[in-house]
Amino acid sequence: MNLKQLFLGFVLLVSTVVGAQTPQITMLQRDGKVNEIPLLDNRFRIDYNIEEITLLFFRAPGAPAVVLVKPDGSKYYATSSLDNDALQWYDEVSYDLIILKNPTPGPWQVIGQIQKNSRIMVLGDIELEVEALPPLLFRGEVLKVTGRVTNDGKQIGVGYFRDVVTLYVEFSSTNNDEYANFGAGTQSVTDFKDDGREFDERPLDGIFTGEFKLNFPAGEWQPEFFIETPILKRRVIKSPIVIAEPPFNFELMLAGENELEHGLTITIDDTVVKPETILLQGKIFYPNGEEQMFTLDAEERLYRQLPIKNYDWGRYSVEISAFGENINGREFMATLPNYNFEIERPIEKVPELEAAALPAVKQPEPEPEPTISTALLVSIIVAGNLVVLLFGWLAIRILVQKKPIRLKVPMPKNPFKKTEEVIDLDDLGPSENNAAGNGSKNDKSGDILNLSMKDN
């Protein structure tokens, strides 16, 4: 928890007092000594009928934790809580929070760099009070909330205690399927203190004042306000409320070709707000980066007309804030969702060139396809058939008849050489072949066949 350096005090908080009536707030002044506290200073007494006591000591930031001295002289340190179930010790930067169960009755002392002007405060019933939320709310509205922390129904007048308390605001979806926020979970809206900063009106006046924007989806929500510190925890849950969409509708009229402005019409829903009280202001963002502020004054009409310069194509964005009263007479301030629109980039048309301006381009004449004469075609067919027949004959002779292929090449004749006739035995008949074979034996003339070559 963050505590400011202006926190001064030595505070004693009694959580439960049994059988004894004590004043709501008891102030015990110190004897004027400051800075480091002597052993015999800052004595306080705990009665025998106290079951639990909470001690809060503010000290100089960064100073070591204080030391508690019991009536019998023994001491409690911050580390003593590790093995003692009856002791809880929160050692923070600028304060010590100590919770004792069934403390020893008698005089106690505290040793440490306690801040000056110390106080001892006895607390009773601490309550958190938050004003009811308006019944009519819409998304984007800025809402102001006020809360108080009271002691036995009265405002606490000790600033040291108020300043350590922070008020948190949450909105939880009711998970009503009739609304758009079904299943939206919990939205942590804001937290604020009684320190006079931001939206808090006055510091340390016991009133927590803050403003926050309803920038979550429209629908049914349940507000929750709570304070949660090591000292105390309090939570206030309000009845569910409905947050509606903003009561404004937008209609855009784009500029024509030669017009200088677009027109944005903003229509007001008079069932939610009073049109005569509505004032609009905001800013226009143009595609070229230019920004333009505008204000539309309150009128009785149900619409407002916003001129937007025509800067040709590009993206336009309009921020709008609305001020006025709703139908219940409550003044409001709201930031509406940005209105965006975009104009597409036009397609440039290329002018057509006249035919007379272009020189005539002579198309090349197609080359004639080559043709084959009829005579050549017939010759090719005949030659192909002959080649087929030749190969067929060769295949039959070699493969079927098993005859070799003999090529006879005629030799030129020599007029000076006498040649003899050569007889091929294969060309002779059987009788002639036998006769030739047996000629040397059966020839009646007894002549021997001379097959030798003779010279002329």
Side-chain angles (χ1 to χ4, degrees):
M1 179 189 304
N2 258 337
L3 299 174
K4 301 178 176 57
Q5 294 185 1
L6 58 87
F7 294 166
L8 307 173
F10 156 53
V11 184
L12 170 63
L13 300 97
V14 179
S15 301
T16 305
V17 179
V18 180
Q21 294 183 354
T22 59
Q24 295 174 355
I25 298 179
T26 302
M27 298 294 182
L28 301 180
Q29 298 291 343
R30 288 186 54 206
D31 57 2
K33 294 185 178 181
V34 295
N35 300 327
E36 192 166 342
I37 302 173
L39 179 60
L40 298 178
D41 286 348
N42 295 307
R43 297 174 182 269
F44 60 94
R45 183 179 182 83
I46 299 180
D47 295 335
Y48 67 93
N49 55 0
I50 294 179
E51 296 180 355
E52 186 179 62
I53 187 172
T54 302
L55 309 175
L56 178 62
F57 303 102
F58 291 98
R59 48 182 166 75
V66 299
V67 179
L68 283 180
V69 181
K70 300 172 60 176
D72 59 2
S74 60
K75 299 178 181 62
Y76 277 148
Y77 300 92
T79 56
S80 302
S81 61
L82 299 178
D83 54 359
N84 190 346
D85 296 336
L87 175 65
Q88 299 180 39
W89 198 306
Y90 300 90
D91 179 13
E92 300 296 337
V93 176
S94 58
Y95 71 93
D96 291 283
L97 177 64
I98 306 168
I99 301 176
L100 289 171
K101 294 181 179 180
N102 298 316
T104 303
W108 288 65
Q109 298 180 37
V110 58
I111 301 175
Q113 298 181 23
I114 305 300
Q115 294 283 9
K116 62 180 180 179
N117 298 328
S118 301
R119 297 288 193 275
I120 296 177
M121 182 171 61
V122 180
L123 295 181
D125 187 13
I126 301 297
E127 293 183 354
L128 172 63
E129 298 178 358
V130 181
E131 293 182 354
L133 296 179
L136 180 58
L137 297 171
F138 54 87
R139 184 167 64 93
E141 185 175 351
V142 178
L143 192 62
K144 182 177 180 180
V145 173
T146 301
R148 295 179 178 86
V149 179
T150 62
N151 176 31
D152 286 339
K154 294 184 179 181
Q155 181 175 319
I156 300 176
V158 181
Y160 310 116
F161 175 74
R162 292 195 307 266
D163 208 47
V164 303
V165 178
T166 301
L167 179 61
Y168 299 91
V169 182
E170 291 182 350
F171 280 75
S172 300
S173 172
T174 59
N175 289 330
N176 190 337
D177 56 4
E178 297 180 359
Y179 296 93
N181 68 330
F182 175 76
T186 300
Q187 301 285 335
S188 295
V189 179
T190 186
D191 59 84
F192 38 86
K193 292 186 176 183
D194 182 19
D195 54 5
R197 298 184 178 183
E198 295 183 354
F199 295 103
D200 190 52
E201 296 177 354
R202 296 179 180 84
L204 304 179
D205 61 351
I207 302 176
F208 297 84
T209 305
E211 292 183 354
F212 54 88
K213 184 185 297 184
L214 302 176
N215 55 357
F216 39 85
E220 189 177 54
W221 297 88
Q222 187 168 49
E224 297 184 11
F225 305 86
F226 65 94
I227 55 176
E228 185 172 349
T229 69
I231 305 172
L232 53 88
K233 298 179 183 181
R234 298 292 185 271
R235 180 179 293 267
V236 175
I237 301 177
K238 296 291 185 179
S239 300
I241 61 174
V242 176
I243 299 177
E245 289 289 345
F248 302 94
N249 296 318
F250 300 90
E251 184 178 357
L252 178 66
M253 180 65 68
L254 295 177
E257 184 176 356
N258 298 322
E259 295 179 349
L260 301 178
E261 292 181 343
H262 307 288
L264 180 61
T265 302
I266 305 173
T267 306
I268 304 172
D269 186 359
D270 58 350
T271 62
V272 179
V273 296
K274 298 178 181 179
E276 65 275 10
T277 65
I278 300 301
L279 185 146
L280 302 175
Q281 70 175 16
K283 185 183 295 185
I284 304 173
F285 298 89
Y286 290 98
N288 61 353
E290 181 180 340
E291 299 178 4
Q292 176 189 351
M293 302 289 296
F294 69 89
T295 301
L296 303 178
D297 296 331
E299 301 179 13
E300 294 186 0
R301 295 183 300 177
L302 296 180
Y303 65 92
R304 303 287 187 271
Q305 192 72 29
L306 176 62
I308 301 175
K309 295 179 183 179
N310 181 13
Y311 279 152
D312 207 0
W313 59 273
R315 183 179 178 84
Y316 296 74
S317 182
V318 184
E319 290 182 356
I320 303 176
S321 296
F323 305 84
E325 295 182 8
N326 61 16
I327 57 174
N328 296 328
R330 181 179 63 86
E331 293 187 357
F332 70 89
M333 178 181 64
T335 301
L336 307 184
N338 287 6
Y339 183 82
N340 304 315
F341 67 95
E342 187 172 354
I343 299 178
E344 296 182 357
R345 183 173 184 175
I347 301 176
E348 297 181 0
K349 295 183 179 180
V350 179
E352 297 181 359
L353 299 178
E354 297 181 359
L358 296 176
V361 179
K362 185 177 180 181
Q363 299 292 337
E365 296 181 359
E367 297 180 359
E369 298 181 0
T371 57
I372 302 176
S373 62
T374 304
L376 180 60
L377 182 61
V378 172
S379 300
I380 293 174
I381 294 174
V382 172
N385 291 334
L386 292 176
V387 170
V388 172
L389 292 175
L390 177 62
F391 278 102
W393 177 80
L394 291 175
I396 294 173
R397 183 175 179 84
I398 296 173
L399 300 177
V400 178
Q401 296 180 356
K402 305 294 182 179
K403 293 181 179 181
I405 299 175
R406 297 178 179 178
L407 297 178
K408 295 180 181 181
V409 180
M411 298 296 294
K413 294 181 180 182
N414 189 351
F416 302 101
K417 186 177 181 179
K418 183 178 180 180
T419 59
E420 295 181 356
E421 183 179 2
V422 179
I423 300 174
D424 191 356
L425 296 178
D426 294 335
D427 295 337
L428 297 177
S431 58
E432 294 178 354
N433 193 3
N434 293 331
N438 300 323
S440 60
K441 297 179 178 183
N442 300 328
D443 189 2
K444 294 179 179 182
S445 60
D447 295 334
I448 298 174
L449 180 63
N450 189 7
L451 299 179
S452 63
M453 300 291 296
K454 294 180 177 182
D455 297 333
N456 290 329

